[in-house]
Amino acid sequence: MTSAYDSPMRRALVLAAEAGAAGDVPVGAVVLDADGTIIGEGRNLREQTHDPTAHAEVVALRAAAEAHGGWNLEGHTLVVTLEPCVMCAGAILQARIGRVVFGAWDEKAGAAGSMHDLLRDRRLPYRAEVVGGVQSDAAIALLQEFFDARR
């Protein structure tokens, strides 16, 4: 099934592969503005930078905020290869991202519907639309290859 997010997800998958090749968990992310143009991108950089917050989503949000000229990214979309964790979901909500599109579900640490559903929690003042499973096979394959090589 094709999706309007296939092209940005392909870019996120390229970034994820770059992260894996550099020794980081292969996760990539891009931020789209309201017109669908990529204004920020990132990949996992924790191993490279020794920064525990350097998840692909946070790196992409920082780049997008810089390009946008402000932290408020309301009306923007984050496309990421793996369901965001709790930390990233918090950053997404703080940035006021309106939609999160992801590839693979994360049954161990996901915060967009798997383990937690922080992005759509009605108790919070801001919520995001969530679209999961976009090109999930490709995202899962990158993760499996990465972890299989380390076992």
Side-chain angles (χ1 to χ4, degrees):
M1 176 169 96
T2 59
S3 160
Y5 302 107
D6 282 344
S7 179
M9 183 60 81
R10 280 193 294 276
R11 177 61 187 149
L13 287 163
V14 167
L15 293 164
E18 290 174 4
D24 263 291
V25 175
V27 179
V30 299
V31 176
L32 311 174
D33 67 12
D35 296 325
T37 302
I38 294 174
I39 65 161
E41 56 183 41
R43 63 179 177 85
N44 273 358
L45 294 171
R46 288 188 321 167
E47 298 299 327
Q48 182 178 334
T49 63
H50 311 292
D51 177 356
T53 69
H55 288 201
E57 299 94 324
V58 172
V59 174
L61 288 171
R62 288 175 179 157
E66 180 71 25
H68 180 65
W71 63 267
N72 189 329
L73 299 174
E74 191 169 350
H76 291 65
T77 299
L78 175 78
V79 178
V80 60
T81 59
L82 180 64
E83 179 183 3
C85 70
V86 170
M87 178 188 72
C88 291
I92 289 162
L93 293 174
Q94 288 298 316
R96 304 293 192 259
I97 290 286
R99 179 179 300 115
V100 175
V101 177
F102 65 86
W105 294 89
D106 186 349
E107 299 295 331
K108 293 181 181 177
S114 287
M115 180 172 247
H116 305 284
D117 199 355
L118 191 60
L119 292 175
R120 295 178 287 197
D121 191 324
R122 294 247 176 245
R123 297 170 293 180
L124 298 174
Y126 192 83
R127 289 169 293 286
E129 176 187 349
V130 174
V131 179
V134 175
Q135 294 190 30
S136 62
D137 290 345
I140 291 167
L142 278 174
L143 290 162
Q144 283 180 332
E145 179 181 314
F146 178 82
F147 287 112
D148 285 352
R150 280 150 181 79
R151 290 189 177 119

